[in-house]
Amino acid sequence: MTDGLREAADVRPCRSLLSVPAGSPALFEKAARSKADAVILDLEDSVAPDSKAEARASVIAGLRDVDWGDRIVCLRINACDTPFMYRDLIDTIEQGGDRLDAIMIPKVNSPAEVAVADMLASQVEAAVGRQRPLGLEVLIETAAGLAAVDAIAAASPRIQALHLGLGDFAASLGARTTVIGGQSSDYGVLSEATDDNRARAFHPGDIWHYALARLLVAARALGLRAIDGPYADFRDVEGITSLARRSAAMGFDGKWAIHPSQIDPINRCFTPTEAETSRARAILEAMEAARRDGRAAVTLDGRMIDIASIKQAVALIGKVDRISSKEK
């Protein structure tokens, strides 16, 4: 494994991550011209076993030939328990040039799997003289992975982000769902029973809230990005918007898109609004005035703000500035 302290995660915006099948190189140019902050070239679920080698060659060519702009480019390799993983890493690092930013490891169940990828990447990078170490992105997709997420997140200083993949995760739990990343109409509670025999209201819940919150806490504890996974019904604009707003409100950095039509709704949801930005700037201005007057806290629009308010405002303005810089 690599030595030393964890480096800061890539600071580029990562609101929308467009997943592109590695076996469809005709889509690479379209992805590179899209408004997605990141592109995931997928060698795993979207590629049949007999087509893995051909898709890997397409990725290598695409990394060398396509102008990916300033977006993050990530390669989703095959899982560590498959016969494809080692060749995915070796061939891509040896032949793909320096444009690749990160390797995504799917279905991670233990820190040992991260250590294997880290060690192998380190050796190949040293052999080819790669100057910029690859980051690692960890995809949590099983009950075992979520149970060990703290240890997994700390397994390598290369790790930059934790992702939650709800399709395989639902299967791992035995959840009764029909759409990857969607909700269940059965998940909720009834209002309390009353004596007047009125119909009891049903209050739906978020079936994935615990898993999302658990992964988010593990990521933030180590300064990592937290990424929500895909929503498979790409025709449902209202659905992807609702799910992205939920994740953004929780504190996630971004969400997967499996179709270009999902990029704009995701980007909007993960971009602070003008009202939020104005409020954050007003907080910073008010606190600066309080500092000059020797006060530790101040009221703004009838609400108390203090050092915690500053931290929130600074984080939001930093996000706005990074997004604005990318979109210039």
Side-chain angles (χ1 to χ4, degrees), residues 222-234:
L222 290 171
L224 308 177
R225 290 193 302 265
I227 305 296
D228 188 11
Y231 176 52
D233 189 354
F234 60 85

Side-chain angles (χ1 to χ4, degrees), residues 124-140:
V124 184
E125 285 176 344
V128 299
R130 183 183 172 98
Q131 297 300 307
R132 186 168 62 99
L134 287 163
L136 290 180
E137 312 255 328
V138 173
L139 187 51
I140 301 297

Side-chain angles (χ1 to χ4, degrees), residues 146-167:
L146 190 65
V149 69
D150 292 318
I152 289 170
S156 167
R158 288 182 185 266
I159 297 178
Q160 297 182 344
L162 301 180
H163 302 242
L164 184 62
L166 289 174

